[in-house]
Each structure stands twice: as structure tokens, then as C-alpha cells.
Amino acid sequence: MSLRENDPPAEAPALTRRKFLEAGSATLLAAAGLSATATAQQQAYRSPDHHTVPESQPAPLNAPLDAENPNSVFAPPTDAGGQPPFKYSFSLSHKRQEAGGWTRQVTVRDLPISRKMAGVQMRLIAGGVRELHWHVGAEWALMLTGSARITAVDQQGRSHVSDVHAGDLWIFPGGIPHSIQGLGPDGAEFLLVFDDGNFNEFETFLLTDWLHHTPPSVLAKNFGVPESTFANVPPKELFIFARELPRPLAEEQKQSEQGTGPVPHSFAFQPSQMKPTKTNPGGEVRIIDRSIWPATNIAAALVTLKPGGLRELHWHPNEDEWQYYVSGTGRMTVFAAGARARTMDFTAGDVGYIEKSAPHYIENTGTTDLVFIEVFPTPFYEDISLAEWLAHTPTRLVDQHLATGESFLTQISKKEAIIVPE
Ligand code: MN
Ligand code: MN
């Protein structure tokens, strides 16, 4: 099936124009089926909350993008005001391609609201190395597919070498030097999140770049060896490059830990080994912060929403939230106070961003599970839900605001749901 056959919205404007030229009469045009094509177009784009039909889009448009963003094409009537965009797609980012893999990023320069966090997607082939490097901000990571070997050294020379697999996390605190290498059979693809909106993956402190910009006589003196030792240091950064696979894990761990031992708290974490924080008919959430992962200074929630499931209305009093949509489709409304609110649609590969204390929900609008992550530039996760706020406030007072009747208010669960339905 061609894209065109599969996509009524793209067809509608052209069809309408052709019919107009053929008919040469507005009356004939209406009779000949403009209303039918316009209706089909509107049906295709309408958000579930949009119950009026005053719009048509007769001019050419970006139909695939519109189809992905029904809540922008026809916003719910509850949306209002100038809330800036809080969505950007990695699909729009420049992809740097190298022999060992590729990478692309979404930063504050792409998504202006994302002042405190940035994200990177990276693919490494089997043997592909993300060069030994460090950066000012902390790096939190989620392995999306495949496997990789990570290495790091802490302030006391203690070593971390481990293999991470799909679903695993790692953390490299700011300034901690590290590397990532794709393993067999097909390397890895992963997501990196940084507690710095202005982060730039293309301007990190690289081992080769640094040594290339240090006088060879100083390198020789530093290590007490001849200058010729460094004759083959690459004249240009390696960044991402292809090499043979690493040696067996136990062997590399033993070698790296000589004299200092391993880091006291693992830089890697396996969410599959923990009990979900919450599981119910609406889905599942795992909240992972320093309370269960001592090495991390970045908190996260890994969320799966079943079709129809809702991440309940809530906000985070302590920090901004950076989101990545792993699979499925959903929508989110952010209320920004001052009568400003906007609803945007999300799909795999999209980034979302919510400023501290701005309330929001995420709804699965598709027919498959919606999987996304919430990441916070703080060691500890915090939230307040609408339901727990109302459940723990005198019911008379709340009823005086909302006129729902007190019996509804007394029935609200006294414990936070996180995901609904419960
Ligand atoms: Mn890094
Ligand atoms: Mn949230």
C-alpha cells in the first residue's frame, strides 16, 4: 500500500482543488463532495476533545506531521494561551555519522524550554567505541537495544567496568572519565540524559583531543618516557570509532581494579531486578533514585501505560522533568498558570519537557503500550498528585471550590495512584 493510499489527509486538499477546477462552480463543488472530503480530513486530525467542526484546511499542508500531532492541528478547547512548545523530536536533529556508529542530540539550543537537561541518542556497532572522555554535567543512560561495555574511574582511582544490556541504566557523575563500547552481535543503541540543557556531545573532553593539544615534551616528562612514546597519538579526535571487541569482562575488571579496587557503588543499575514501584491495570512504574541506587545524582521514573492508561495529574515540586518516549503514542497537557495550557502529542523518539511545579498528565492515545521515561536533575524523585492533594484537604473546603459534592471527595484514594485506572 502506498503512503498516499494510506493517508486520507494528504489526498483531501488535492482532491478538493481538482474537483473545484473541474466543476468551476462553488455550488457544484459543495454538491460534488467537498463536504465529504473536508469531513474526512477533519475526522483524521481531530483530537478526542475537539467537538466542534468549524475548521477546514484547504491549502497544501504537511499531512504526515499533522497526522502525528492531532492536538496541535485541533487543540482541545481547554488549551489556551502562549505556553511555549515542550516537544522536540530526535528525527529533526543533525546526525553525526562515524565508522563506529552515529549520534544526535536535543539540547536547549533545539528546545528552548529545556534549560536544565539535554539528551543524546547513540548507536555503536559491535566494537564501536565512544572515545574515553568526560564532561562537566552528569550522564544518565538507558540502554535501548543491544549490549555495551562501559568503563569509568572515580576521584580515588577506583574502577568500574561492566557490561550493560537492554533496559539497564548507568550514571557517570560530572567530571568522571568514561567510555562505552558496543558488544556482539550487533552493538547497541542507547539514550543519554545530561543535567545541563546546554550540554554538547560534540564538545566533550576527549582523551585524544587533549593529548594532541599538549606539548609532547610535557607528556614525556609526565610519564617519564621518551617523546616517541606518543608519536602515534591521532592528530584528530576519534570520538566514535570502530575497533576489535574488548577482552573478557573478568579480565578487564581485574586489570582495571589493580591497586585501588572497584568503585564503592556501581555506576550501573538493572531495573529488571527491582520490583515495580507500582503495578495496576493502567500500567507500571519504576521509580529509581538515590534511595535505591546510591551512585546516582539523577532521579528517574520508567513508565509503561496500557492502552487507555493515564499517568495521573501531578507535578514535581523539586525539579524540571525531561522525558523520552521509547514506544507507543500519547499526549500530554502542561498547565503553565495564568490561563496558559497546551496539549502536545508524542511518539517514539520524541523528547518532552516540563518546568518545575507545572502540572501535567500523560495519556496513552494508541492501541499499544506507551513506554516513556521521566528524568530529573536531582538525586531524589518527588511528586504531588491532584488526587492526593484533594484527598488530604478538608472536603468541605474543596467542595466550596469545585462543587463536586463531598461524597466524591471522600472516595478519592488516600494513597497516590501514579497510574490509573487502579
Ligand atoms: Mn559521556
Ligand atoms: Mn511528571
Side-chain angles (χ1 to χ4, degrees):
M1 182 182 281
S2 77
L3 181 65
R4 214 167 163 72
E5 284 164 347
N6 201 13
D7 194 0
E11 193 93 19
L15 199 65
T16 303
R17 262 200 321 280
R18 188 163 63 246
K19 282 186 183 298
F20 181 84
L21 292 171
E22 285 167 6
S25 148
T27 311
L28 265 180
L29 177 64
L34 170 64
S35 59
T37 52
T39 301
Q41 188 182 341
Q42 287 156 6
Q43 292 289 357
Y45 293 153
R46 190 139 359 114
S47 90
D49 301 304
H50 203 276
H51 301 306
T52 58
V53 195
E55 297 92 351
S56 62
Q57 297 191 144
L61 45 76
N62 188 334
L65 199 55
D66 276 359
E68 268 190 17
N69 296 280
N71 286 279
S72 291
V73 178
F74 293 120
T78 43
D79 276 14
Q83 166 70 345
F86 44 84
K87 164 184 169 171
Y88 197 88
S89 177
F90 274 102
S91 299
L92 297 172
S93 296
H94 166 70
K95 186 189 278 180
R96 177 170 171 179
Q97 291 170 288
E98 303 281 345
W102 56 256
T103 187
R104 53 187 177 181
Q105 62 185 354
V106 174
T107 72
V108 71
R109 301 178 292 281
D110 311 289
L111 180 62
I113 196 174
S114 64
R115 287 186 292 270
K116 291 187 174 178
M117 274 171 287
V120 165
Q121 278 180 341
M122 191 175 289
R123 166 89 170 110
L124 297 175
I125 63 170
V129 179
R130 171 63 175 95
E131 174 172 358
L132 284 158
H133 72 283
W134 75 97
H135 27 74
V136 176
E139 167 180 325
W140 180 99
L142 168 65
M143 182 59 78
L144 297 170
T145 66
S147 302
R149 168 89 37 102
I150 58 174
T151 79
V153 174
D154 78 359
Q155 298 90 327
Q156 296 176 46
R158 295 172 297 196
S159 165
H160 177 99
V161 180
S162 71
D163 291 348
V164 285
H165 310 284
D168 291 350
L169 311 181
W170 69 78
I171 182 81
F172 296 133
I176 295 293
H178 55 275
S179 69
I180 311 160
Q181 183 172 21
L183 299 175
D186 187 33
E189 185 176 342
F190 46 90
L191 178 80
L192 308 175
V193 189
F194 301 86
D195 58 357
D196 171 12
N198 201 39
F199 177 81
N200 190 344
E201 183 69 18
F202 308 128
E203 293 180 4
T204 60
F205 298 101
L206 297 169
L207 176 63
T208 56
D209 197 24
W210 184 26
L211 264 57
H212 178 62
H213 291 94
T214 302
S217 63
V218 172
L219 291 175
K221 186 180 288 184
N222 193 73
F223 290 101
V225 293
E227 284 187 30
S228 60
T229 304
F230 302 97
N232 296 323
V233 170
K236 187 172 169 290
E237 67 183 37
L238 293 171
F239 188 62
I240 291 175
F241 57 105
R243 289 291 186 273
E244 64 184 308
L245 289 167
R247 297 194 168 101
L249 178 60
E251 182 182 342
E252 294 206 333
Q253 284 174 328
K254 190 176 170 205
Q255 182 186 48
S256 303
E257 290 168 9
Q258 281 176 19
T260 52
V263 295
H265 303 296
S266 179
F267 288 149
F269 186 88
Q270 286 80 40
S272 58
Q273 302 301 306
M274 70 181 278
K275 197 167 154 282
T277 311
K278 188 94 178 192
T279 305
N280 62 33
E284 182 182 284
V285 62
R286 285 177 168 80
I287 294 173
I288 299 158
D289 68 7
R290 187 174 285 174
S291 63
I292 59 170
W293 185 14
T296 196
N297 56 355
I298 290 182
L302 316 183
V303 185
T304 300
L305 291 181
K306 297 289 177 192
L310 183 75
R311 173 75 176 91
E312 70 171 329
L313 288 154
H314 70 280
W315 69 93
H316 307 276
N318 60 335
E319 261 306 350
D320 291 8
E321 172 177 344
W322 190 95
Q323 297 175 333
Y324 179 79
Y325 288 80
V326 177
S327 60
T329 56
R331 66 170 181 168
M332 173 167 68
T333 300
V334 177
F335 171 62
R340 291 176 298 149
R342 182 153 189 214
T343 306
M344 300 188 85
D345 301 279
F346 294 86
T347 192
D350 288 344
V351 171
Y353 197 90
I354 308 111
E355 291 177 300
K356 178 161 69 177
S357 287
H360 52 282
Y361 69 85
I362 298 96
E363 182 180 25
N364 186 342
T365 54
T367 54
T368 59
D369 285 1
L370 173 64
V371 179
F372 67 96
I373 61 171
E374 312 172 1
V375 188
F376 307 87
T378 175
F380 293 101
Y381 177 90
E382 286 184 9
D383 72 16
I384 298 171
S385 79
L386 173 64
E388 68 180 342
W389 181 29
L390 300 186
H392 301 285
T393 300
T395 52
R396 174 176 290 179
L397 179 65
V398 177
D399 188 48
Q400 286 166 345
H401 288 74
L402 301 179
T404 56
E406 289 191 59
S407 68
F408 155 68
L409 297 168
T410 58
Q411 287 162 29
I412 298 175
S413 171
K414 306 303 178 207
K415 293 276 186 162
E416 184 180 23
I418 306 179
I419 290 168
V420 294
E422 281 212 276

